[in-house]
PDB file of all heavy atoms in Angstrom:
ATOM      1  N   TYR J 188      39.147  44.116 -24.370  1.00  0.00           N
ATOM      2  CA  TYR J 188      37.757  44.466 -24.059  1.00  0.00           C
ATOM      3  C   TYR J 188      36.827  44.159 -25.227  1.00  0.00           C
ATOM      4  O   TYR J 188      35.669  43.768 -25.023  1.00  0.00           O
ATOM      5  CB  TYR J 188      37.682  45.949 -23.705  1.00  0.00           C
ATOM      6  CG  TYR J 188      36.333  46.419 -23.233  1.00  0.00           C
ATOM      7  CD1 TYR J 188      35.911  46.188 -21.927  1.00  0.00           C
ATOM      8  CD2 TYR J 188      35.468  47.097 -24.086  1.00  0.00           C
ATOM      9  CE1 TYR J 188      34.671  46.618 -21.493  1.00  0.00           C
ATOM     10  CE2 TYR J 188      34.234  47.534 -23.664  1.00  0.00           C
ATOM     11  CZ  TYR J 188      33.840  47.294 -22.366  1.00  0.00           C
ATOM     12  OH  TYR J 188      32.599  47.723 -21.943  1.00  0.00           O
ATOM     13  N   THR J 189      37.327  44.329 -26.451  1.00  0.00           N
ATOM     14  CA  THR J 189      36.484  44.119 -27.628  1.00  0.00           C
ATOM     15  C   THR J 189      36.585  42.708 -28.186  1.00  0.00           C
ATOM     16  O   THR J 189      35.970  42.420 -29.223  1.00  0.00           O
ATOM     17  CB  THR J 189      36.865  45.119 -28.733  1.00  0.00           C
ATOM     18  OG1 THR J 189      38.260  44.990 -29.026  1.00  0.00           O
ATOM     19  CG2 THR J 189      36.586  46.539 -28.283  1.00  0.00           C
ATOM     20  N   THR J 190      37.356  41.820 -27.560  1.00  0.00           N
ATOM     21  CA  THR J 190      37.482  40.446 -28.059  1.00  0.00           C
ATOM     22  C   THR J 190      37.056  39.440 -26.997  1.00  0.00           C
ATOM     23  O   THR J 190      35.912  38.999 -26.967  1.00  0.00           O
ATOM     24  CB  THR J 190      38.924  40.173 -28.519  1.00  0.00           C
ATOM     25  OG1 THR J 190      39.840  40.516 -27.462  1.00  0.00           O
ATOM     26  CG2 THR J 190      39.283  41.009 -29.735  1.00  0.00           C
ATOM     27  N   SER J 191      37.963  39.084 -26.116  1.00  0.00           N
ATOM     28  CA  SER J 191      37.675  38.014 -25.153  1.00  0.00           C
ATOM     29  C   SER J 191      36.680  38.450 -24.091  1.00  0.00           C
ATOM     30  O   SER J 191      35.792  37.673 -23.708  1.00  0.00           O
ATOM     31  CB  SER J 191      38.979  37.549 -24.495  1.00  0.00           C
ATOM     32  OG  SER J 191      39.636  38.631 -23.858  1.00  0.00           O
ATOM     33  N   ILE J 192      36.782  39.692 -23.597  1.00  0.00           N
ATOM     34  CA  ILE J 192      35.888  40.133 -22.519  1.00  0.00           C
ATOM     35  C   ILE J 192      34.470  40.312 -23.036  1.00  0.00           C
ATOM     36  O   ILE J 192      33.495  40.006 -22.340  1.00  0.00           O
ATOM     37  CB  ILE J 192      36.424  41.426 -21.889  1.00  0.00           C
ATOM     38  CG1 ILE J 192      37.769  41.159 -21.202  1.00  0.00           C
ATOM     39  CG2 ILE J 192      35.437  42.009 -20.880  1.00  0.00           C
ATOM     40  CD1 ILE J 192      38.411  42.392 -20.594  1.00  0.00           C
ATOM     41  N   TYR J 193      34.332  40.803 -24.242  1.00  0.00           N
ATOM     42  CA  TYR J 193      32.986  41.075 -24.752  1.00  0.00           C
ATOM     43  C   TYR J 193      32.137  39.804 -24.833  1.00  0.00           C
ATOM     44  O   TYR J 193      30.907  39.853 -24.717  1.00  0.00           O
ATOM     45  CB  TYR J 193      33.100  41.773 -26.118  1.00  0.00           C
ATOM     46  CG  TYR J 193      32.501  41.033 -27.280  1.00  0.00           C
ATOM     47  CD1 TYR J 193      31.156  41.188 -27.598  1.00  0.00           C
ATOM     48  CD2 TYR J 193      33.259  40.178 -28.074  1.00  0.00           C
ATOM     49  CE1 TYR J 193      30.590  40.512 -28.669  1.00  0.00           C
ATOM     50  CE2 TYR J 193      32.712  39.508 -29.135  1.00  0.00           C
ATOM     51  CZ  TYR J 193      31.372  39.679 -29.432  1.00  0.00           C
ATOM     52  OH  TYR J 193      30.815  39.010 -30.481  1.00  0.00           O
ATOM     53  N   GLU J 194      32.773  38.648 -25.023  1.00  0.00           N
ATOM     54  CA  GLU J 194      32.010  37.399 -25.125  1.00  0.00           C
ATOM     55  C   GLU J 194      31.328  37.039 -23.816  1.00  0.00           C
ATOM     56  O   GLU J 194      30.297  36.355 -23.819  1.00  0.00           O
ATOM     57  CB  GLU J 194      32.935  36.269 -25.567  1.00  0.00           C
ATOM     58  CG  GLU J 194      33.396  36.387 -27.007  1.00  0.00           C
ATOM     59  CD  GLU J 194      34.082  35.136 -27.488  1.00  0.00           C
ATOM     60  OE1 GLU J 194      34.463  34.312 -26.632  1.00  0.00           O
ATOM     61  OE2 GLU J 194      34.218  34.967 -28.706  1.00  0.00           O
ATOM     62  N   THR J 195      31.898  37.448 -22.690  1.00  0.00           N
ATOM     63  CA  THR J 195      31.244  37.203 -21.404  1.00  0.00           C
ATOM     64  C   THR J 195      30.185  38.248 -21.093  1.00  0.00           C
ATOM     65  O   THR J 195      29.324  38.015 -20.248  1.00  0.00           O
ATOM     66  CB  THR J 195      32.287  37.210 -20.266  1.00  0.00           C
ATOM     67  OG1 THR J 195      32.874  38.508 -20.150  1.00  0.00           O
ATOM     68  CG2 THR J 195      33.387  36.198 -20.544  1.00  0.00           C
ATOM     69  N   MET J 196      30.222  39.388 -21.783  1.00  0.00           N
ATOM     70  CA  MET J 196      29.264  40.462 -21.523  1.00  0.00           C
ATOM     71  C   MET J 196      28.060  40.402 -22.453  1.00  0.00           C
ATOM     72  O   MET J 196      26.987  40.910 -22.095  1.00  0.00           O
ATOM     73  CB  MET J 196      29.958  41.817 -21.686  1.00  0.00           C
ATOM     74  CG  MET J 196      31.116  42.041 -20.726  1.00  0.00           C
ATOM     75  SD  MET J 196      32.097  43.490 -21.186  1.00  0.00           S
ATOM     76  CE  MET J 196      30.854  44.756 -21.235  1.00  0.00           C
ATOM     77  N   TYR J 197      28.214  39.820 -23.612  1.00  0.00           N
ATOM     78  CA  TYR J 197      27.129  39.757 -24.598  1.00  0.00           C
ATOM     79  C   TYR J 197      27.022  38.312 -25.085  1.00  0.00           C
ATOM     80  O   TYR J 197      27.518  37.960 -26.159  1.00  0.00           O
ATOM     81  CB  TYR J 197      27.407  40.712 -25.755  1.00  0.00           C
ATOM     82  CG  TYR J 197      27.378  42.167 -25.361  1.00  0.00           C
ATOM     83  CD1 TYR J 197      28.527  42.807 -24.919  1.00  0.00           C
ATOM     84  CD2 TYR J 197      26.199  42.901 -25.388  1.00  0.00           C
ATOM     85  CE1 TYR J 197      28.514  44.138 -24.532  1.00  0.00           C
ATOM     86  CE2 TYR J 197      26.165  44.235 -25.006  1.00  0.00           C
ATOM     87  CZ  TYR J 197      27.328  44.839 -24.586  1.00  0.00           C
ATOM     88  OH  TYR J 197      27.298  46.160 -24.198  1.00  0.00           O
ATOM     89  N   THR J 198      26.364  37.480 -24.280  1.00  0.00           N
ATOM     90  CA  THR J 198      26.330  36.042 -24.543  1.00  0.00           C
ATOM     91  C   THR J 198      25.438  35.678 -25.725  1.00  0.00           C
ATOM     92  O   THR J 198      25.643  34.627 -26.330  1.00  0.00           O
ATOM     93  CB  THR J 198      25.834  35.313 -23.288  1.00  0.00           C
ATOM     94  OG1 THR J 198      24.593  35.896 -22.851  1.00  0.00           O
ATOM     95  CG2 THR J 198      26.845  35.435 -22.154  1.00  0.00           C
ATOM     96  N   PHE J 199      24.458  36.491 -26.043  1.00  0.00           N
ATOM     97  CA  PHE J 199      23.627  36.227 -27.213  1.00  0.00           C
ATOM     98  C   PHE J 199      24.235  36.833 -28.475  1.00  0.00           C
ATOM     99  O   PHE J 199      24.249  36.213 -29.539  1.00  0.00           O
ATOM    100  CB  PHE J 199      22.213  36.789 -27.016  1.00  0.00           C
ATOM    101  CG  PHE J 199      21.392  36.031 -26.004  1.00  0.00           C
ATOM    102  CD1 PHE J 199      20.574  36.706 -25.109  1.00  0.00           C
ATOM    103  CD2 PHE J 199      21.443  34.659 -25.926  1.00  0.00           C
ATOM    104  CE1 PHE J 199      19.828  36.021 -24.171  1.00  0.00           C
ATOM    105  CE2 PHE J 199      20.710  33.958 -24.989  1.00  0.00           C
ATOM    106  CZ  PHE J 199      19.896  34.648 -24.106  1.00  0.00           C
ATOM    107  N   GLU J 200      24.717  38.050 -28.345  1.00  0.00           N
ATOM    108  CA  GLU J 200      25.222  38.751 -29.520  1.00  0.00           C
ATOM    109  C   GLU J 200      26.421  38.060 -30.139  1.00  0.00           C
ATOM    110  O   GLU J 200      26.622  38.139 -31.362  1.00  0.00           O
ATOM    111  CB  GLU J 200      25.578  40.194 -29.142  1.00  0.00           C
ATOM    112  CG  GLU J 200      24.392  41.100 -28.844  1.00  0.00           C
ATOM    113  CD  GLU J 200      23.833  40.907 -27.443  1.00  0.00           C
ATOM    114  OE1 GLU J 200      24.334  40.006 -26.723  1.00  0.00           O
ATOM    115  OE2 GLU J 200      22.904  41.620 -27.062  1.00  0.00           O
ATOM    116  N   LYS J 201      27.235  37.401 -29.344  1.00  0.00           N
ATOM    117  CA  LYS J 201      28.447  36.779 -29.886  1.00  0.00           C
ATOM    118  C   LYS J 201      28.133  35.657 -30.870  1.00  0.00           C
ATOM    119  O   LYS J 201      28.960  35.333 -31.720  1.00  0.00           O
ATOM    120  CB  LYS J 201      29.314  36.236 -28.745  1.00  0.00           C
ATOM    121  CG  LYS J 201      28.710  35.038 -28.024  1.00  0.00           C
ATOM    122  CD  LYS J 201      29.624  34.520 -26.928  1.00  0.00           C
ATOM    123  CE  LYS J 201      29.045  33.290 -26.236  1.00  0.00           C
ATOM    124  NZ  LYS J 201      29.933  32.794 -25.159  1.00  0.00           N
ATOM    125  N   HIS J 202      26.946  35.060 -30.790  1.00  0.00           N
ATOM    126  CA  HIS J 202      26.614  33.945 -31.674  1.00  0.00           C
ATOM    127  C   HIS J 202      26.394  34.406 -33.115  1.00  0.00           C
ATOM    128  O   HIS J 202      26.432  33.589 -34.035  1.00  0.00           O
ATOM    129  CB  HIS J 202      25.366  33.219 -31.175  1.00  0.00           C
ATOM    130  CG  HIS J 202      25.598  32.431 -29.912  1.00  0.00           C
ATOM    131  ND1 HIS J 202      26.258  31.229 -29.901  1.00  0.00           N
ATOM    132  CD2 HIS J 202      25.279  32.685 -28.622  1.00  0.00           C
ATOM    133  CE1 HIS J 202      26.322  30.760 -28.666  1.00  0.00           C
ATOM    134  NE2 HIS J 202      25.740  31.626 -27.869  1.00  0.00           N
ATOM    135  N   VAL J 203      26.142  35.694 -33.317  1.00  0.00           N
ATOM    136  CA  VAL J 203      25.953  36.211 -34.684  1.00  0.00           C
ATOM    137  C   VAL J 203      27.005  37.269 -35.010  1.00  0.00           C
ATOM    138  O   VAL J 203      26.818  38.088 -35.911  1.00  0.00           O
ATOM    139  CB  VAL J 203      24.533  36.790 -34.857  1.00  0.00           C
ATOM    140  CG1 VAL J 203      23.499  35.705 -34.768  1.00  0.00           C
ATOM    141  CG2 VAL J 203      24.253  37.890 -33.836  1.00  0.00           C
ATOM    142  N   ASN J 204      28.126  37.263 -34.256  1.00  0.00           N
ATOM    143  CA  ASN J 204      29.228  38.203 -34.492  1.00  0.00           C
ATOM    144  C   ASN J 204      28.790  39.657 -34.390  1.00  0.00           C
ATOM    145  O   ASN J 204      29.332  40.535 -35.077  1.00  0.00           O
ATOM    146  CB  ASN J 204      29.872  37.958 -35.859  1.00  0.00           C
ATOM    147  CG  ASN J 204      30.629  36.648 -35.907  1.00  0.00           C
ATOM    148  OD1 ASN J 204      31.021  36.109 -34.879  1.00  0.00           O
ATOM    149  ND2 ASN J 204      30.825  36.126 -37.100  1.00  0.00           N
ATOM    150  N   LEU J 205      27.820  39.918 -33.539  1.00  0.00           N
ATOM    151  CA  LEU J 205      27.435  41.288 -33.233  1.00  0.00           C
ATOM    152  C   LEU J 205      28.256  41.739 -32.034  1.00  0.00           C
ATOM    153  O   LEU J 205      28.165  41.147 -30.958  1.00  0.00           O
ATOM    154  CB  LEU J 205      25.933  41.374 -32.940  1.00  0.00           C
ATOM    155  CG  LEU J 205      25.391  42.743 -32.520  1.00  0.00           C
ATOM    156  CD1 LEU J 205      25.619  43.755 -33.633  1.00  0.00           C
ATOM    157  CD2 LEU J 205      23.900  42.656 -32.193  1.00  0.00           C
ATOM    158  N   ASN J 206      29.070  42.767 -32.224  1.00  0.00           N
ATOM    159  CA  ASN J 206      30.030  43.198 -31.207  1.00  0.00           C
ATOM    160  C   ASN J 206      29.745  44.640 -30.810  1.00  0.00           C
ATOM    161  O   ASN J 206      30.378  45.576 -31.329  1.00  0.00           O
ATOM    162  CB  ASN J 206      31.458  43.056 -31.744  1.00  0.00           C
ATOM    163  CG  ASN J 206      32.502  43.182 -30.661  1.00  0.00           C
ATOM    164  OD1 ASN J 206      32.288  43.815 -29.638  1.00  0.00           O
ATOM    165  ND2 ASN J 206      33.657  42.579 -30.895  1.00  0.00           N
ATOM    166  N   PRO J 207      28.811  44.895 -29.877  1.00  0.00           N
ATOM    167  CA  PRO J 207      28.508  46.281 -29.481  1.00  0.00           C
ATOM    168  C   PRO J 207      29.703  47.054 -28.933  1.00  0.00           C
ATOM    169  O   PRO J 207      29.846  48.241 -29.239  1.00  0.00           O
ATOM    170  CB  PRO J 207      27.407  46.104 -28.423  1.00  0.00           C
ATOM    171  CG  PRO J 207      26.773  44.796 -28.748  1.00  0.00           C
ATOM    172  CD  PRO J 207      27.884  43.929 -29.250  1.00  0.00           C
TER     173      PRO J 207
END
Side-chain angles (χ1 to χ4, degrees):
Y188 186 79
T189 56
T190 53
S191 58
I192 295 178
Y193 118 87
E194 290 191 344
T195 64
M196 299 168 55
Y197 294 89
T198 52
F199 289 139
E200 290 80 356
K201 69 179 182 181
H202 289 284
V203 293
N204 291 338
L205 177 61
N206 193 334

